[in-house]
């Protein structure tokens, strides 16, 4: 009996050590300069992780979200834009790497909501950071769209979806449709109704400020507030960064063509 | 009834000892630690994270208790001959088994309730609230532990303490995959929901009929389907738990536990107490 | 009161192990106020018999009845007090609480139980330890507490498995007294033991078990009477009669040191002595033979294993 017990304890200890080794190995791999979270995502898909969590799916979602937030802190949240001599200058993070960073963050956020489709904050917050002039606007819109499909009764997701439709897609009809729905939902604050009513009368810039002010009011974390203020500042500068970047890009392209 | 309550009270006290107190202190410390760390890890989702962490730790601590006390109860009593003194009294053996199971259930109820209290006390100052989904999830954790302790009792009836612990752990793990197993053996259309790789999908489709199908079907009913009592997602996302689901889960857990205890009684009633 | 009727017990062998026939048709009965010692070598089947008597094991064939009822019926056990071998109780409980639990399971009334538990603890010298947890109890204290739980509901039959094991001389005296007290109050006591000197002190009858069979069940007097009227003669070798010659002359004797020891009937003593002197033996000592219970048992058990050697 005592031999069996000690053998069992020995085995359990060994298993624990092996498990610890694997965990440390994972962390160490992340510290390699070439580490790419995409690789990890592919290795452990959400279904496998959920199965391994023995009934703690939300915790797996939390883990993935923490991963995503850490990645976010190292990339997308690092930079801001300044306009110097009519050119958009990206400060704090190399502009050319922003799109790739957004792609990886988008992937991580998607993994998270795959595990927990009702983790609305991921949709909401993810879209906030994915809305960057240097990156593909569709990712932010897509993330919110899946969020709405998964949580049709969340006013905040629809509100934010309406904003992106208005500002990125210039689609006032879709924006109105979702603002109307948002206004009917439980817990919807007054400013949603105000913005809905003025959607076709107020100028875009004023509407955008109202949207962002509303979001700021409901913000839950410092990181979120900082990001919203940053977007408000960019709005105040009076320049449409995305348009400006697009123009630059088109110009460069033309220039390039000219030499051929 | 008097006999059962005497045995249940006794086994409750015996399991309780000082261990539960340590568990609660350890749990509180753990959750506190995570509460402090959480604000740096998650952005704006501290309450959710602590809730998930708290419910996960609750299950884990309960499992440790069931395995260290429950899974060894009977085999240890037989080994140390404490059972002889009890069974020499004018009691039925089934009363002994039922009393033991109820004692364990009582301990688990107390454990879950105390840990829930600790969790709520940590959550409240952080802006959390005592919500129905949270209470439901904690109830689900209790039901899950109840099923596992019934399995542990059965396993300890069948084998040595070490093997009983192993069996209990395996049933716990497999019980969490039972719902996946169910999708495997049910309609092929549902298989797509599992997001399986193509090769696995083909294997799964092979299990849709024939003896393999019946074998898996039997395995499914043998295992406790923990998904029935897992409301942690509702607690995390503050989604109310439909009453029907709560009732169905509760009934399922009780019926499963009763069946396991039933079999325990049959085995325990016939064996020679060495 | 208690009857064993050709009780057999076979433990089936698991996984290729041989099955074990622990009891091979044991029959006897106990009646009235008496103390019966159940003795025999290790593995004779004593504990198995007691387990069957308590309904903890089921006999393979034959039957055990207590007042005409099977001990596997819970009600039958209401009037039995049982002490298992090397008792070990719930270590988180205090002595008092443990006795209360035992009493409650025997269906005792709470106030009576309170009184009885206190007086028993007192009687067994455990009053000071009444509220101490059992994990702090020594082997001897547990054994005494075991006695207390067996007596708590004042049963008519006491079944005790090695009640004197693990006790110091004082404790043994205490338990022996409790056993004889129980007999004085009209109870039947059936106990197994290795310690034969205790059986000589307290038992009325002795049941001898060897190799799963009841070899003898007789009163203590009967078992020790067989040595009455015998004399032990010690012969020392002389110039005329060496040890070798004595051995050839009286092969039934045994060599003890430098003397040849013989047991002789009282009637033939005179004749034997004159014959021995004539043969040239030197008679060192003649005394009354004293056969202990132990001697008798050794003979009985040896005899039974010779007879049943084929099994």
């Amino acid at each position: 009996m005592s031999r069996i017990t000690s053998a069992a304890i020995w085995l359990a200890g060994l298993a624990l050590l092996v498990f610890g080794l694997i965990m440390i190995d994972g962390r160490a791999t992340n510290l390699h300069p070439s580490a790419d979270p995409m690789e990890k995502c592919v290795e452990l898909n959400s279904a496998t992780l959920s199965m391994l969590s023995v009934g703690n799916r939300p915790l797996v979602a939390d883990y993935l979200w923490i991963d995503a937030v850490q990645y976010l802190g190292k990339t997308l949240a690092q930079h801001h834009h300044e306009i110097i001599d009519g050119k958009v200058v990206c400060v704090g993070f190399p502009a050319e790497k922003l799109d790739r960073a957004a792609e990886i963050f988008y992937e991580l956020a998607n993994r998270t909501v795959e595990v927990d489709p009702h983790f609305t904050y991921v949709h909401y917050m993810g879209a906030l950071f994915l809305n960057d002039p240097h990156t593909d606007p569709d990712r932010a819109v897509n993330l919110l769209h899946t969020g709405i499909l998964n949580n049709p009764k969340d006013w905040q997701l629809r509100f934010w979806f309406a904003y992106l439709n208005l500002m990125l897609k210039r689609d006032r009809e879709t924006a109105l449709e979702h603002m109307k729905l948002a206004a009917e939902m439980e817990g919807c604050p007054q400013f949603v109704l105000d913005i809905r009513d003025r959607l076709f009368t107020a100028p875009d810039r004023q509407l955008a400020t109202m949207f962002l002010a509303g979001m700021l009011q409901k913000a839950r974390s410092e990181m979120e507030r900082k990001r919203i203020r940053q977007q408000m500042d960019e709005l105040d500068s009076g320049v449409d960064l995305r348009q400006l970047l697009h123009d630059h890009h088109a110009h460069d392209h033309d220039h390039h063509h000219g030499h051929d | 009834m008097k006999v059962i309550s005497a045995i249940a009270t006794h086994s409750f006290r015996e399991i309780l000892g000082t261990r539960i107190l340590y568990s609660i202190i350890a749990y509180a410390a753990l959750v506190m630690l995570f509460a402090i760390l959480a604000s740096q890890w998650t952005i704006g989702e501290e309450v959710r994270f602590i809730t998930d962490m708290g419910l996960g730790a609750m299950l884990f601590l309960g499992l440790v208790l069931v395995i260290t006390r429950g899974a060894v109860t009977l085999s240890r009593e037989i080994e140390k001959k404490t059972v002889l003194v009890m069974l020499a009294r004018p009691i039925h053996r089934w009363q002994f088994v039922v009393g033991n199971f109820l004692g364990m259930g009582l301990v688990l109820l107390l454990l879950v309730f105390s840990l829930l209290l600790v969790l709520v006390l940590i959550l409240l100052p952080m802006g959390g609230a005592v919500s129905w989904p949270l209470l439901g999830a904690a109830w689900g954790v209790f039901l899950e532990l109840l099923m596992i302790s019934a399995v542990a009792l059965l396993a300890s009836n069948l084998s040595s303490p070490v093997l009983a612990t192993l069996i209990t752990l395996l049933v716990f793990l497999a019980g969490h995959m039972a719902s996946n197993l169910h999708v495997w053996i049910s309609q092929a259309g549902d298989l797509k929901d599992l997001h399986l790789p193509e090769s696995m999908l083909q294997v799964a489709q092979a299990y849709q009929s024939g003896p393999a199908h019946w074998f898996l079907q039997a395995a499914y009913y043998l295992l406790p389907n923990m998904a029935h009592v897992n409301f942690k997602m509702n607690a995390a996302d503050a989604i109310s738990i439909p009453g029907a689901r709560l009732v169905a889960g509760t009934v399922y857990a009780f019926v499963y536990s009763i069946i396991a205890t039933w079999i325990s009684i049959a085995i325990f009633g016939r064996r020679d107490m060495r | 009161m208690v009857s064993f009727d050709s009780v057999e017990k076979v433990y089936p062998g698991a996984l290729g192990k041989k099955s074990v026939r622990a009891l091979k048709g044991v029959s006897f009965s106990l009646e009235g106020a008496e103390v019966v010692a159940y003795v025999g070598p290790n593995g004779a089947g004593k504990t198995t018999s007691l387990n069957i008597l308590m309904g903890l094991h089921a006999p393979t064939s034959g039957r055990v009845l207590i007042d005409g009822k099977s001990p596997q019926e819970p009600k039958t056990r209401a009037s039995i007090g049982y002490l298992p071998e090397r008792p070990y109780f719930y270590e988180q409980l205090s002595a008092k609480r443990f006795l209360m639990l035992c009493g409650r399971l025997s269906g005792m009334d709470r106030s009576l139980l309170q009184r009885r538990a206190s007086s028993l603890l007192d009687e067994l010298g455990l009053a000071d330890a009444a509220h101490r947890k059992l994990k702090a109890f020594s082997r001897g204290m547990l054994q005494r507490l075991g006695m207390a739980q067996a007596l708590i509901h004042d049963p008519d039959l006491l079944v005790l498995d090695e009640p004197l094991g693990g006790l110091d001389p004082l404790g043994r005296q205490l338990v022996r007294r409790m056993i004889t007290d129980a007999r004085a109050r009209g109870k039947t006591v059936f106990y197994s033991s290795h310690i034969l000197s205790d059986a000589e002190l307290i038992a009325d009858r002795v049941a001898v078990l060897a190799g799963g069979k009841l070899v003898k069940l007789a009163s203590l007097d009967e078992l020790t009477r067989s040595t009455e009227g015998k004399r032990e003669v010690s012969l020392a070798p002389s110039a005329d009669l060496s040890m070798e010659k004595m051995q050839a002359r009286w092969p039934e004797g045994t060599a003890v040191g430098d003397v040849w020891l013989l047991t002789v009937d009282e009637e033939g003593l005179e004749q034997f002595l004159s014959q021995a002197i004539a043969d040239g033996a030197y008679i060192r000592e003649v005394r009354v033979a004293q056969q202990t219970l132990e001697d008798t048992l050794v003979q009985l058990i040896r005899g039974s294993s010779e007879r049943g050697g084929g099994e």
Side-chain angles (χ1 to χ4, degrees):
Chain A
M1 174 57 216
S2 68
R3 263 179 65 194
I4 299 171
T5 314
S6 57
I9 292 168
W10 182 85
L11 255 175
L14 185 73
L16 198 72
L17 285 172
V18 170
F19 179 71
L21 188 76
I22 293 166
M23 294 306 284
I24 294 166
D25 176 76
R27 285 278 160 235
T29 310
N30 279 352
L31 293 172
H32 289 230
S34 61
D36 188 333
M38 281 289 250
E39 288 168 21
K40 196 167 63 190
C41 279
V42 177
E43 269 170 39
L44 274 180
N45 68 32
S46 48
T48 316
L49 267 176
S50 304
M51 216 188 264
L52 289 176
S53 75
V54 286
N56 289 293
R57 263 176 95 107
L59 213 51
V60 173
D62 292 345
Y63 167 76
L64 289 169
W65 176 234
I66 287 169
D67 236 24
V69 169
Q70 281 187 334
Y71 183 69
L72 184 70
K74 281 184 253 167
T75 57
L76 290 180
Q78 287 288 313
H79 74 295
H80 68 276
H81 298 108
E82 283 176 16
I83 298 161
I84 301 166
D85 299 335
K87 280 191 175 173
V88 183
V89 178
C90 183
V91 184
F93 196 80
E96 63 275 14
K97 288 189 177 170
L98 277 171
D99 193 60
R100 173 67 178 153
E103 188 188 346
I104 293 169
F105 175 71
Y106 176 64
E107 204 57 50
L108 286 168
N110 265 329
R111 297 277 162 193
T112 312
V113 295
E114 243 173 54
V115 174
D116 183 354
H118 306 297
F119 199 163
T120 51
Y121 193 63
V122 177
H123 296 282
Y124 180 77
M125 180 78 179
L128 181 65
F129 279 87
L130 287 169
N131 176 23
D132 189 283
H134 282 279
T135 65
D136 183 355
D138 285 344
R139 292 198 198 101
V141 178
N142 286 346
L143 192 60
L144 275 176
H145 189 64
T146 47
I148 288 170
L149 291 178
N150 291 335
N151 309 279
K153 295 202 169 152
D154 191 298
W155 70 265
Q156 218 168 351
L157 292 179
R158 291 198 187 268
F159 173 69
W160 188 210
F161 187 64
Y163 173 76
L164 290 187
N165 270 293
L166 185 70
M167 300 308 289
L168 296 180
K169 303 262 174 188
R170 306 279 166 206
D171 184 349
R172 219 172 269 265
E173 291 300 327
T174 310
L176 180 67
E177 180 196 332
H178 286 279
M179 285 302 278
K180 274 183 179 165
L181 285 166
E184 289 166 11
M185 271 150 207
E186 204 187 301
C188 176
Q190 183 60 39
F191 62 77
V192 177
L193 278 70
D194 295 343
I195 297 171
R196 179 198 60 188
D197 295 342
R198 302 183 59 189
L199 207 55
F200 281 90
T201 51
D204 280 1
R205 200 168 292 277
Q206 197 187 338
L207 271 177
T209 312
M210 284 171 77
F211 267 105
L212 290 173
M215 284 173 68
L216 192 62
Q217 203 181 316
K218 288 283 167 188
R220 275 186 268 181
S221 70
E222 202 38 57
M223 203 179 190
E224 192 183 340
R225 275 188 279 275
K226 195 177 147 199
R227 178 70 174 173
I228 297 168
R229 284 203 198 94
Q230 203 180 314
Q231 295 200 358
M232 286 172 107
D233 287 347
E234 283 167 10
L235 205 64
D236 285 346
S237 70
V239 183
D240 186 337
L241 293 178
R242 203 175 280 277
Q243 194 61 46
L244 194 60
L245 278 169
H246 182 76
D247 291 349
H248 274 307
H249 189 71
H251 179 70
D252 287 350
H253 203 67
D254 288 345
H255 196 67
H256 201 67
H257 262 278
H259 271 282
D260 268 347
Chain B
M1 208 55 224
K2 204 174 139 193
V3 168
I4 293 176
S5 82
I7 296 171
T9 317
H10 158 65
S11 108
F12 175 79
R13 282 215 190 95
E14 182 69 14
I15 299 166
L16 208 59
T18 49
R19 222 170 274 241
I20 281 250
L21 201 68
Y22 291 141
S23 311
I24 291 168
I25 294 166
Y27 174 80
L30 192 79
V31 177
M32 289 280 206
L33 187 73
F34 274 108
I36 294 158
L37 289 173
S39 47
Q40 292 158 28
W41 288 354
T42 63
I43 42 174
E45 287 292 297
E46 292 87 353
V47 168
R48 176 199 151 98
F49 180 62
I50 294 165
T51 306
D52 300 346
M53 205 59 220
L55 288 170
M58 204 181 271
L59 181 64
F60 178 74
L61 276 176
L63 186 69
V64 167
L65 192 78
V66 168
I67 281 173
T68 56
R69 304 301 310 222
V72 297
T73 310
L74 277 185
S75 36
R76 211 177 66 144
E77 287 216 12
I78 292 161
E79 206 173 73
K80 294 199 164 181
K81 296 181 180 166
T82 47
V83 73
L84 299 184
V85 182
M86 296 287 117
L87 295 181
R89 302 263 150 209
I91 62 168
H92 290 277
R93 288 193 181 182
W94 67 263
Q95 289 174 317
F96 185 77
V97 176
V98 170
N100 259 300
F101 177 66
L102 288 182
M104 188 74 207
L106 228 57
V107 172
L108 291 174
L109 196 64
L110 182 75
L111 177 83
V112 168
F113 181 77
S114 324
L115 295 187
L116 182 67
L117 202 70
V118 171
L119 184 60
V120 166
L121 286 179
I122 294 168
L123 282 176
L124 281 179
M126 302 190 76
V130 187
S131 61
W132 284 114
L134 178 64
L135 295 180
W139 175 246
V141 169
F142 165 71
L143 292 176
E144 184 169 327
L145 292 172
L146 196 70
M147 286 195 276
I148 279 298
S149 67
V151 169
L153 198 66
L154 179 57
S156 79
N157 230 320
L158 290 169
S159 58
S160 69
V162 176
L163 206 60
T165 305
L166 206 67
I167 291 171
T168 310
L169 258 179
L170 283 178
V171 170
F172 172 75
L173 293 176
H176 277 287
M177 296 180 190
S179 56
N180 299 61
L181 181 65
H182 190 245
V183 179
W184 266 56
I185 53 181
S186 57
Q187 296 309 306
D190 294 346
L191 286 172
K192 296 197 177 59
D193 299 342
L194 271 182
H195 305 292
L196 292 169
E198 187 55 36
S199 57
M200 279 178 85
L201 194 70
Q202 280 171 2
V203 174
Q205 272 158 352
Y207 284 113
Q208 295 305 306
S209 60
H213 174 77
W214 293 112
F215 176 75
L216 286 182
Q217 188 89 47
Y220 172 73
Y221 285 115
L222 213 61
L223 293 170
N225 187 347
M226 298 305 189
H228 291 335
V229 293
N230 189 351
F231 311 120
K232 295 201 194 72
M233 199 74 114
N234 299 65
D237 297 319
I239 299 168
S240 62
I241 306 163
R245 223 192 125 199
L246 197 65
V247 171
T250 305
V251 171
Y252 174 85
F254 278 114
V255 170
Y256 188 92
S257 305
I258 290 170
I259 291 172
T261 312
W262 199 270
I263 300 170
S264 291
I265 289 169
I267 296 167
F268 191 70
R270 272 162 189 75
R271 73 186 281 181
D272 287 340
M273 298 298 148
R274 295 224 188 199
Chain C
M1 182 171 199
V2 174
S3 73
F4 266 63
D5 186 6
S6 10
V7 174
E8 291 231 6
K9 180 67 191 178
V10 180
Y11 291 111
L15 299 171
K17 282 182 198 159
K18 266 191 168 175
S19 63
V20 179
R21 268 182 87 195
L23 291 181
K24 301 165 184 170
V26 172
S27 303
F28 63 87
S29 61
L30 311 174
E31 205 61 56
E34 60 170 347
V35 176
V36 179
Y38 202 35
V39 300
N42 288 331
K46 296 192 297 289
T47 297
T48 302
S49 314
L50 297 193
N51 282 340
I52 291 174
L53 177 57
M54 291 313 299
L56 295 167
H57 290 198
T60 309
S61 69
R63 62 181 181 170
V64 174
L65 294 176
I66 297 165
D67 287 333
K69 287 173 287 180
S70 162
Q72 285 181 307
E73 281 295 314
K75 270 183 196 156
T76 314
R77 296 194 295 267
S79 57
I80 317 178
Y82 171 64
L83 169 71
E85 190 183 1
R86 289 185 150 267
Y88 179 93
F89 311 117
Y90 303 96
E91 46 182 38
Q92 294 293 337
L93 287 182
S94 70
K96 182 80 182 283
R97 200 157 245 173
F98 173 67
L99 288 183
M100 295 295 288
L101 171 69
C102 291
R104 274 188 77 192
L105 292 183
S106 286
M108 286 175 78
D109 169 64
R110 190 173 276 272
S111 60
L112 172 69
L113 183 53
Q114 283 276 6
R115 278 200 308 276
R116 184 116 178 102
S118 301
S119 79
L120 271 171
L121 286 172
D122 216 26
E123 224 176 304
L124 282 157
L126 293 170
D128 292 340
H131 299 287
R132 212 181 295 163
K133 281 192 175 176
L134 297 189
K135 64 179 166 193
F137 269 42
S138 69
R139 198 53 201 92
M141 287 165 87
L142 284 176
Q143 190 78 28
R144 277 183 279 160
L145 183 66
M147 258 331 261
Q149 64 83 28
L151 289 163
I152 187 91
H153 52 301
D154 196 25
D156 296 332
L157 171 66
L158 274 172
V159 177
L160 313 171
D161 199 352
E162 298 285 349
L164 300 158
L167 289 172
D168 56 10
L170 228 64
R172 268 161 66 173
Q173 201 179 28
L174 196 69
V175 171
R176 278 202 306 260
R177 206 186 64 226
M178 302 206 79
I179 290 174
T180 47
D181 281 358
R183 175 180 53 196
R185 280 182 285 119
K187 317 289 184 190
T188 309
V189 182
F190 187 50
Y191 82 96
S192 76
S193 180
H194 284 110
I195 307 165
L196 297 167
S197 58
D198 287 311
E200 279 177 299
L201 286 173
I202 54 173
D204 299 308
R205 288 201 291 163
V206 177
V208 184
L209 194 70
K213 284 182 179 164
L214 189 70
V215 179
K216 188 122 185 144
L217 174 61
S219 68
L220 194 68
D221 293 348
E222 200 180 313
L223 281 171
T224 45
R225 197 185 300 142
S226 54
T227 61
E228 270 178 25
K230 304 253 179 186
R231 296 291 181 273
E232 249 174 29
V233 182
S234 306
L235 301 176
S238 64
D240 294 332
L241 200 64
S242 66
M243 275 296 259
E244 287 76 30
K245 278 186 180 166
M246 283 196 284
Q247 194 170 351
R249 179 79 175 75
W250 301 288
E252 69 272 24
T254 45
V256 179
D258 60 347
V259 300
W260 192 248
L261 196 69
L262 285 154
T263 309
V264 184
D265 284 341
E266 202 179 356
E267 298 89 53
L269 182 67
E270 223 176 290
Q271 196 194 341
F272 173 81
L273 289 178
S274 44
Q275 182 67 49
I277 295 165
D279 286 351
Y282 175 70
I283 295 162
R284 176 158 310 167
E285 193 184 10
V286 178
R287 57 183 171 143
V288 177
Q290 274 187 329
Q291 192 169 15
T292 57
L293 181 58
E294 191 169 326
D295 298 329
T296 315
L297 291 185
V298 168
Q299 276 170 19
L300 278 171
I301 290 159
R302 220 176 252 160
S304 95
S305 68
E306 274 159 21
R307 282 197 303 281
E311 275 190 280

